[in-house]
mmCIF file of all heavy atoms in Angstrom:
data_model
loop_
_atom_site.group_PDB
_atom_site.id
_atom_site.type_symbol
_atom_site.label_atom_id
_atom_site.label_comp_id
_atom_site.label_asym_id
_atom_site.label_seq_id
_atom_site.Cartn_x
_atom_site.Cartn_y
_atom_site.Cartn_z
ATOM 1 N N ILE A 253 90.975 100.373 107.670
ATOM 2 C CA ILE A 253 92.349 99.909 107.711
ATOM 3 C C ILE A 253 93.128 100.943 108.592
ATOM 4 O O ILE A 253 93.154 102.103 108.280
ATOM 5 C CB ILE A 253 92.976 99.802 106.333
ATOM 6 C CG1 ILE A 253 92.332 98.634 105.585
ATOM 7 C CG2 ILE A 253 94.475 99.619 106.422
ATOM 8 C CD1 ILE A 253 92.816 98.482 104.168
ATOM 9 N N ARG A 254 93.788 100.393 109.589
ATOM 10 C CA ARG A 254 94.582 101.263 110.473
ATOM 11 C C ARG A 254 95.963 101.486 109.899
ATOM 12 O O ARG A 254 96.470 102.614 109.893
ATOM 13 C CB ARG A 254 94.626 100.630 111.859
ATOM 14 C CG ARG A 254 95.159 101.596 112.947
ATOM 15 C CD ARG A 254 95.082 100.920 114.290
ATOM 16 N NE ARG A 254 95.296 101.872 115.385
ATOM 17 C CZ ARG A 254 94.329 102.575 115.948
ATOM 18 N NH1 ARG A 254 93.065 102.376 115.611
ATOM 19 N NH2 ARG A 254 94.640 103.431 116.932
ATOM 20 N N VAL A 255 96.620 100.438 109.429
ATOM 21 C CA VAL A 255 97.954 100.527 108.954
ATOM 22 C C VAL A 255 98.200 99.391 107.952
ATOM 23 O O VAL A 255 97.609 98.319 108.028
ATOM 24 C CB VAL A 255 98.975 100.448 110.153
ATOM 25 C CG1 VAL A 255 98.877 99.133 110.837
ATOM 26 C CG2 VAL A 255 100.409 100.752 109.616
ATOM 27 N N MET A 256 99.060 99.658 106.980
ATOM 28 C CA MET A 256 99.565 98.645 106.048
ATOM 29 C C MET A 256 101.074 98.761 106.010
ATOM 30 O O MET A 256 101.616 99.828 106.196
ATOM 31 C CB MET A 256 98.962 98.793 104.638
ATOM 32 C CG MET A 256 97.448 98.700 104.568
ATOM 33 S SD MET A 256 96.795 98.683 102.901
ATOM 34 C CE MET A 256 97.138 96.979 102.469
ATOM 35 N N GLY A 257 101.710 97.654 105.744
ATOM 36 C CA GLY A 257 103.139 97.669 105.710
ATOM 37 C C GLY A 257 103.746 96.465 105.018
ATOM 38 O O GLY A 257 103.041 95.565 104.531
ATOM 39 N N TRP A 258 105.065 96.495 104.994
ATOM 40 C CA TRP A 258 105.871 95.383 104.361
ATOM 41 C C TRP A 258 106.890 94.865 105.339
ATOM 42 O O TRP A 258 107.644 95.671 105.927
ATOM 43 C CB TRP A 258 106.547 95.940 103.093
ATOM 44 C CG TRP A 258 105.628 96.323 102.036
ATOM 45 C CD1 TRP A 258 105.093 97.573 101.764
ATOM 46 C CD2 TRP A 258 105.065 95.477 101.026
ATOM 47 N NE1 TRP A 258 104.251 97.537 100.694
ATOM 48 C CE2 TRP A 258 104.222 96.247 100.176
ATOM 49 C CE3 TRP A 258 105.202 94.102 100.696
ATOM 50 C CZ2 TRP A 258 103.494 95.722 99.063
ATOM 51 C CZ3 TRP A 258 104.477 93.590 99.633
ATOM 52 C CH2 TRP A 258 103.682 94.421 98.822
ATOM 53 N N TYR A 259 106.928 93.539 105.469
ATOM 54 C CA TYR A 259 107.976 92.895 106.151
ATOM 55 C C TYR A 259 108.817 92.052 105.136
ATOM 56 O O TYR A 259 108.363 91.784 104.020
ATOM 57 C CB TYR A 259 107.392 91.912 107.176
ATOM 58 C CG TYR A 259 106.810 92.540 108.405
ATOM 59 C CD1 TYR A 259 105.576 93.122 108.360
ATOM 60 C CD2 TYR A 259 107.445 92.480 109.631
ATOM 61 C CE1 TYR A 259 104.957 93.699 109.498
ATOM 62 C CE2 TYR A 259 106.949 93.054 110.786
ATOM 63 C CZ TYR A 259 105.661 93.638 110.700
ATOM 64 O OH TYR A 259 105.156 94.227 111.810
ATOM 65 N N ARG A 260 110.041 91.692 105.527
ATOM 66 C CA ARG A 260 110.798 90.856 104.682
ATOM 67 C C ARG A 260 111.572 89.874 105.552
ATOM 68 O O ARG A 260 111.874 90.113 106.692
ATOM 69 C CB ARG A 260 111.784 91.612 103.762
ATOM 70 C CG ARG A 260 112.870 92.333 104.505
ATOM 71 C CD ARG A 260 113.721 93.149 103.511
ATOM 72 N NE ARG A 260 114.814 93.862 104.193
ATOM 73 C CZ ARG A 260 115.551 94.741 103.592
ATOM 74 N NH1 ARG A 260 115.328 95.029 102.322
ATOM 75 N NH2 ARG A 260 116.554 95.380 104.251
ATOM 76 N N GLN A 261 111.831 88.695 104.962
ATOM 77 C CA GLN A 261 112.622 87.658 105.609
ATOM 78 C C GLN A 261 113.564 86.981 104.641
ATOM 79 O O GLN A 261 113.110 86.420 103.685
ATOM 80 C CB GLN A 261 111.700 86.615 106.244
ATOM 81 C CG GLN A 261 112.408 85.614 107.163
ATOM 82 C CD GLN A 261 111.488 84.779 108.016
ATOM 83 O OE1 GLN A 261 110.291 84.626 107.710
ATOM 84 N NE2 GLN A 261 112.012 84.291 109.126
ATOM 85 N N ALA A 262 114.810 87.111 104.947
ATOM 86 C CA ALA A 262 115.891 86.489 104.146
ATOM 87 C C ALA A 262 116.186 85.126 104.758
ATOM 88 O O ALA A 262 115.974 84.912 105.960
ATOM 89 C CB ALA A 262 117.089 87.376 104.083
ATOM 90 N N PRO A 263 116.780 84.194 103.969
ATOM 91 C CA PRO A 263 117.146 82.873 104.506
ATOM 92 C C PRO A 263 118.072 83.000 105.733
ATOM 93 O O PRO A 263 119.060 83.741 105.637
ATOM 94 C CB PRO A 263 117.857 82.200 103.339
ATOM 95 C CG PRO A 263 117.213 82.846 102.128
ATOM 96 C CD PRO A 263 117.019 84.276 102.532
ATOM 97 N N GLY A 264 117.722 82.363 106.793
ATOM 98 C CA GLY A 264 118.540 82.364 107.986
ATOM 99 C C GLY A 264 118.467 83.638 108.804
ATOM 100 O O GLY A 264 119.216 83.775 109.773
ATOM 101 N N LYS A 265 117.586 84.524 108.400
ATOM 102 C CA LYS A 265 117.475 85.812 109.108
ATOM 103 C C LYS A 265 116.091 85.943 109.731
ATOM 104 O O LYS A 265 115.131 85.279 109.336
ATOM 105 C CB LYS A 265 117.692 86.962 108.145
ATOM 106 C CG LYS A 265 119.058 87.010 107.488
ATOM 107 C CD LYS A 265 120.119 87.311 108.485
ATOM 108 C CE LYS A 265 121.490 87.469 107.780
ATOM 109 N NZ LYS A 265 121.539 88.663 106.875
ATOM 110 N N GLN A 266 116.007 86.794 110.744
ATOM 111 C CA GLN A 266 114.734 87.133 111.344
ATOM 112 C C GLN A 266 113.906 88.015 110.432
ATOM 113 O O GLN A 266 114.439 88.792 109.617
ATOM 114 C CB GLN A 266 114.943 87.871 112.678
ATOM 115 C CG GLN A 266 115.587 87.041 113.772
ATOM 116 C CD GLN A 266 114.670 86.034 114.337
ATOM 117 O OE1 GLN A 266 114.644 84.875 113.942
ATOM 118 N NE2 GLN A 266 113.830 86.503 115.311
ATOM 119 N N ARG A 267 112.593 87.869 110.523
ATOM 120 C CA ARG A 267 111.697 88.771 109.786
ATOM 121 C C ARG A 267 111.820 90.181 110.308
ATOM 122 O O ARG A 267 111.868 90.369 111.577
ATOM 123 C CB ARG A 267 110.242 88.245 109.887
ATOM 124 C CG ARG A 267 109.288 89.052 109.004
ATOM 125 C CD ARG A 267 107.897 88.543 109.251
ATOM 126 N NE ARG A 267 107.399 88.843 110.595
ATOM 127 C CZ ARG A 267 106.222 88.528 111.087
ATOM 128 N NH1 ARG A 267 105.354 87.888 110.264
ATOM 129 N NH2 ARG A 267 105.880 88.783 112.307
ATOM 130 N N GLU A 268 111.852 91.194 109.472
ATOM 131 C CA GLU A 268 111.952 92.530 109.903
ATOM 132 C C GLU A 268 110.939 93.414 109.183
ATOM 133 O O GLU A 268 110.544 93.157 108.056
ATOM 134 C CB GLU A 268 113.362 93.123 109.592
ATOM 135 C CG GLU A 268 113.675 93.279 108.155
ATOM 136 C CD GLU A 268 115.021 94.071 107.945
ATOM 137 O OE1 GLU A 268 115.475 94.757 108.829
ATOM 138 O OE2 GLU A 268 115.556 93.920 106.812
ATOM 139 N N LEU A 269 110.504 94.412 109.883
ATOM 140 C CA LEU A 269 109.625 95.411 109.335
ATOM 141 C C LEU A 269 110.390 96.364 108.462
ATOM 142 O O LEU A 269 111.333 96.985 108.938
ATOM 143 C CB LEU A 269 108.835 96.180 110.416
ATOM 144 C CG LEU A 269 107.916 97.280 110.012
ATOM 145 C CD1 LEU A 269 106.780 96.759 109.114
ATOM 146 C CD2 LEU A 269 107.380 98.039 111.223
ATOM 147 N N VAL A 270 110.014 96.488 107.171
ATOM 148 C CA VAL A 270 110.691 97.321 106.227
ATOM 149 C C VAL A 270 110.062 98.697 106.190
ATOM 150 O O VAL A 270 110.770 99.724 106.180
ATOM 151 C CB VAL A 270 110.745 96.688 104.822
ATOM 152 C CG1 VAL A 270 111.404 97.616 103.832
ATOM 153 C CG2 VAL A 270 111.379 95.323 104.905
ATOM 154 N N ALA A 271 108.753 98.752 106.068
ATOM 155 C CA ALA A 271 108.060 100.034 105.890
ATOM 156 C C ALA A 271 106.580 99.842 106.325
ATOM 157 O O ALA A 271 106.023 98.761 106.230
ATOM 158 C CB ALA A 271 108.085 100.463 104.435
ATOM 159 N N SER A 272 106.063 100.963 106.803
ATOM 160 C CA SER A 272 104.608 100.952 107.156
ATOM 161 C C SER A 272 103.990 102.339 106.806
ATOM 162 O O SER A 272 104.718 103.326 106.689
ATOM 163 C CB SER A 272 104.427 100.661 108.600
ATOM 164 O OG SER A 272 104.989 101.628 109.446
ATOM 165 N N ILE A 273 102.676 102.352 106.668
ATOM 166 C CA ILE A 273 101.998 103.536 106.351
ATOM 167 C C ILE A 273 100.604 103.473 106.966
ATOM 168 O O ILE A 273 99.942 102.457 106.873
ATOM 169 C CB ILE A 273 101.893 103.818 104.847
ATOM 170 C CG1 ILE A 273 101.311 105.198 104.534
ATOM 171 C CG2 ILE A 273 101.215 102.735 104.078
ATOM 172 C CD1 ILE A 273 101.475 105.657 103.068
ATOM 173 N N THR A 274 100.171 104.524 107.602
ATOM 174 C CA THR A 274 98.851 104.577 108.210
ATOM 175 C C THR A 274 97.842 105.098 107.183
ATOM 176 O O THR A 274 98.244 105.555 106.114
ATOM 177 C CB THR A 274 98.790 105.538 109.423
ATOM 178 O OG1 THR A 274 98.965 106.867 108.990
ATOM 179 C CG2 THR A 274 99.919 105.154 110.441
ATOM 180 N N SER A 275 96.584 104.917 107.510
ATOM 181 C CA SER A 275 95.545 105.402 106.625
ATOM 182 C C SER A 275 95.613 106.913 106.419
ATOM 183 O O SER A 275 95.153 107.409 105.380
ATOM 184 C CB SER A 275 94.174 105.011 107.126
ATOM 185 O OG SER A 275 93.931 105.568 108.429
ATOM 186 N N GLY A 276 96.208 107.617 107.370
ATOM 187 C CA GLY A 276 96.351 109.045 107.233
ATOM 188 C C GLY A 276 97.619 109.442 106.452
ATOM 189 O O GLY A 276 97.817 110.652 106.233
ATOM 190 N N GLY A 277 98.442 108.508 106.093
ATOM 191 C CA GLY A 277 99.642 108.786 105.268
ATOM 192 C C GLY A 277 100.942 108.885 105.953
ATOM 193 O O GLY A 277 101.957 109.195 105.372
ATOM 194 N N ASN A 278 100.938 108.684 107.279
ATOM 195 C CA ASN A 278 102.194 108.711 108.008
ATOM 196 C C ASN A 278 103.030 107.455 107.679
ATOM 197 O O ASN A 278 102.479 106.358 107.714
ATOM 198 C CB ASN A 278 101.957 108.768 109.492
ATOM 199 C CG ASN A 278 101.348 110.101 109.942
ATOM 200 O OD1 ASN A 278 101.609 111.122 109.353
ATOM 201 N ND2 ASN A 278 100.523 110.061 111.016
ATOM 202 N N THR A 279 104.262 107.637 107.378
ATOM 203 C CA THR A 279 105.163 106.536 106.902
ATOM 204 C C THR A 279 106.330 106.351 107.868
ATOM 205 O O THR A 279 106.764 107.221 108.587
ATOM 206 C CB THR A 279 105.691 106.835 105.520
ATOM 207 O OG1 THR A 279 106.481 107.953 105.481
ATOM 208 C CG2 THR A 279 104.546 106.974 104.547
ATOM 209 N N ASN A 280 106.848 105.094 107.824
ATOM 210 C CA ASN A 280 108.001 104.704 108.611
ATOM 211 C C ASN A 280 108.838 103.739 107.730
ATOM 212 O O ASN A 280 108.275 102.841 107.155
ATOM 213 C CB ASN A 280 107.608 104.080 109.904
ATOM 214 C CG ASN A 280 108.772 103.858 110.806
ATOM 215 O OD1 ASN A 280 109.711 104.649 110.898
ATOM 216 N ND2 ASN A 280 108.770 102.701 111.485
#
């Protein structure tokens, strides 16, 4: 696994990246 993350989409809104984390533990 290279990276895992979370996206979210609200009604009427574009999907956005909320958070991500690499297998090495780097977060955004």
